[in-house]
């Protein structure tokens, strides 16, 4: 009896040790542990490495976008900016980008791939005015969309991935780009009194 108990403890400790080894703190930047760099054989099926890498790049893109939008949101929340509509709009955009990131992570796990989180560069923290932020957001969303289309092409042999991208990203990106384009146009149309145009858009963004 004692021997059984003792050997059980030894086995348990060994397993825990192995687990600690695999799940151990990583060193360096974005370099996964041994396990983190491997697919999960139990669920992984025809999930090409190049597609997994593409999805990890898109994950990075969504996290960076979320970070940038967060920076914008709290710039317009400053007492000397006081544009609650812009604050609200960019905060919602940050949450949306973050949800996109989580959707990608969830998808990678569903397919038995691996997640690689990368270093996030600190975003611009001074946004001058609403127009500057909207123009930046428009450029960023266009880049994100272009990259999504590239991933879609790379994954063309994997209908499950292309469906996921179409369903979750490609449609909504087009709408966001149009929306941001309209805000930029509106702000630019107030050539004589920019502040008035910004004020009116802020009211609209807040409602
Ligand atoms: C993450 O995305 C940003 C924005 O697209 C890009 O500038 C950066 O190089 C990417 N980082 C890595 C490690 O790929």
């Amino acid at each position: 009896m004692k021997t059984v108990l003792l050997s059980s403890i030894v086995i348990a400790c060994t397993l825990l040790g192995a687990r600690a080894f695999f799940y151990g703190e990583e060193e360096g930047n974005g370099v996964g542990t041994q396990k983190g760099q491997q697919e999960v054989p139990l669920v992984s099926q025809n999930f090409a490495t190049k597609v997994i890498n593409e999805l990890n790049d898109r994950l990075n893109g969504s996290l960076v976008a979320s970070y940038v939008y967060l920076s914008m949101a709290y710039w317009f929340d400053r007492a000397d900016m006081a544009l609650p509509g812009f604050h609200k709009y960019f905060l919602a955009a940050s949450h949306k980008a973050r949800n996109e990131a989580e959707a990608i992570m969830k998808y990678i796990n569903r397919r038995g791939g691996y997640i690689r989180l990368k270093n996030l560069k600190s975003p611009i923290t001074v946004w001058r005015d609403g127009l500057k932020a909207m123009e930046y957001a428009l450029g960023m969303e266009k880049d994100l969309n272009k990259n999504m289309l590239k991933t879609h092409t790379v994954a063309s042999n994997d209908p499950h991935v292309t469906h996921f991208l179409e369903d979750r990203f490609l449609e909504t990106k087009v709408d966001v780009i149009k929306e941001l384009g309209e805000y930029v146009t509106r702000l630019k149309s107030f050539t004589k009194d920019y502040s008035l145009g910004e004020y009116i858009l802020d009211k609209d963004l807040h409602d």
Side-chain angles (χ1 to χ4, degrees), residues 38-160:
Q38 288 162 1
E39 288 162 56
V40 182
L42 201 62
V43 271
S44 179
Q45 221 181 5
N46 303 322
F47 201 16
T49 306
K50 62 176 188 201
V51 175
I52 300 177
N53 290 339
E54 277 288 318
L55 289 174
N56 274 298
D57 284 344
R58 298 299 73 75
L59 169 59
N60 168 58
S62 293
L63 287 173
V64 169
S66 176
Y67 207 10
V68 168
Y69 281 134
L70 197 59
S71 157
M72 289 177 179
Y74 282 92
W75 171 256
F76 293 106
D77 181 54
R78 283 168 59 107
D80 57 358
M81 293 306 297
L83 290 167
F86 282 86
H87 167 70
K88 188 179 162 190
Y89 181 78
F90 289 128
L91 191 59
S94 176
H95 294 161
K96 206 170 139 218
R98 158 76 187 235
N99 287 340
E100 284 175 4
E102 287 194 48
I104 296 171
M105 294 172 96
K106 200 166 182 58
Y107 183 79
I108 292 174
N109 279 347
R110 268 183 74 201
R111 290 290 304 276
Y114 45 82
I115 291 165
R116 281 196 192 134
L117 292 171
K118 303 172 186 189
N119 272 343
L120 296 181
K121 206 173 71 181
S122 51
I124 298 174
T125 45
V126 177
W127 292 100
R128 195 186 66 210
D129 56 23
L131 178 59
K132 184 181 173 188
M134 285 294 177
E135 281 180 325
Y136 191 97
L138 177 59
M140 185 169 73
E141 290 293 348
K142 280 182 173 172
D143 278 347
L144 289 171
N145 190 48
K146 200 173 72 191
N147 290 334
M148 274 296 169
L149 291 170
K150 179 178 153 259
T151 300
H152 191 274
T153 307
V154 173
S156 57
N157 288 330
D158 191 329
H160 203 266

